[in-house]
Amino acid sequence: EADIYQTPRYLVIGTGKKITLECSQTMGHDKMYWYQQDPGMELHLIHYSYGVNSTEKGDLSSESTVSRIRTEHFPLTLESARPSHTSQYLCASSRNYGYTFGSGTRLTVV
Amino acid sequence: DQQVKQNSPSLSVQEGRISILNCDYTNSMFDYFLWYKKYPAEGPTFLISISSIKDKNEDGRFTVFLNKSAKHLSLHIVPSQPGDSAVYFCAASGTRDDKIIFGKGTRLHILP
């Protein structure tokens, strides 16, 4: 049974739309992360948070934004989706070491 | 510039034989290494890890070997089973609670 949940699993959306990808965890982890992954490529860290009201940008530049108002919730928002945003987005959380990943959101922008 | 490199995009192994997945890293500050397994349309799941103070860690059919001088680690799966067919990501971090850097992954096919 998953302890970290991502919704939606799949999303096809038109260019210019605003979207929010949801991520919630029930493990009480302070640290949460968003990774972006394209097929055959490494996972790239785009955002992370070490606790409530703490967010940082990752190694890969991203036009998305995140918020961390509650420990268990770490949503990612794209204000204006573009085809270049088509990718898989993976949310993860951690207490000390190692990550627990959600199932991911496969985003397609047409 | 990739800090964690998996140079084999794919690997095919006969069921029952040994699967060996390789990984190289460039950052000598890494001291914790992990392997994750990923099925299509799912998130990666943790498989096994090793600290830099060890050179081997074993968990059932899975063994990870670390060669610090060569900055190389490998994952051995024996015997290989059909359910092992997946993408395997090598990953590393500087401290046990630091951000994790991932390789590009190796797709493992277990042949019947």
Side-chain angles (χ1 to χ4, degrees), chain B residues 9 19 26 28 30 54 69 83 86 89 91 95 101 109-110:
Chain B
S19 295
T26 57
S28 58
F30 286 148
K54 295 186 175 181
S69 62
F89 288 97
T95 59
I101 308 298
H109 299 272
I110 303 302

Side-chain angles (χ1 to χ4, degrees), chain A residues 23-97:
Chain A
C23 177
S24 294
Q25 50 96 4
T26 59
M27 298 170 284
H29 289 170
D30 287 326
K31 299 173 185 176
M32 296 189 74
Y33 309 83
W34 276 103
Y35 281 82
Q36 184 176 342
Q37 194 221 353
D38 295 316
M41 301 297 291
E42 61 264 57
L43 283 69
H44 286 290
L45 179 67
I46 52 175
H47 297 283
Y48 63 99
S49 167
Y50 286 167
V52 172
N53 294 325
S54 156
T55 62
E56 300 287 344
K57 287 190 179 293
D59 303 322
L60 181 68
S61 174
S62 174
E63 295 166 341
S64 58
T65 58
V66 292
S67 62
R68 191 87 183 276
I69 298 172
R70 304 197 314 268
T71 297
E72 62 270 22
H73 195 213
F74 191 41
L76 181 145
T77 298
L78 278 165
E79 291 292 333
S80 179
R82 293 208 299 268
S84 60
H85 296 140
T86 294
S87 188
Q88 184 177 37
Y89 292 84
L90 294 159
C91 180
S93 71
S94 170
R95 173 168 280 119
N96 292 319
Y97 64 93

Side-chain angles (χ1 to χ4, degrees), chain A residues 9-10 31 33 35 37 40-43 45 48 50 59 88 90 96-99 101-104, chain B residues 2 32 34 36 38 40-46 49 89 96-105:
Chain A
R9 289 290 303 274
Y10 302 93
K31 299 173 185 176
Y33 309 83
Y35 281 82
Q37 194 221 353
M41 301 297 291
E42 61 264 57
L43 283 69
L45 179 67
Y48 63 99
Y50 286 167
D59 303 322
Q88 184 177 37
L90 294 159
N96 292 319
Y97 64 93
Y99 294 169
F101 280 92
S103 297
Chain B
Q2 277 189 274
Y32 192 60
L34 311 93
Y36 282 82
K38 185 179 184 297
E42 293 184 15
T45 55
F46 171 75
S49 63
F89 288 97
R96 294 185 95 196
D97 59 352
D98 205 345
K99 299 184 292 297
I100 297 176
I101 308 298
F102 289 84
K104 289 187 177 183

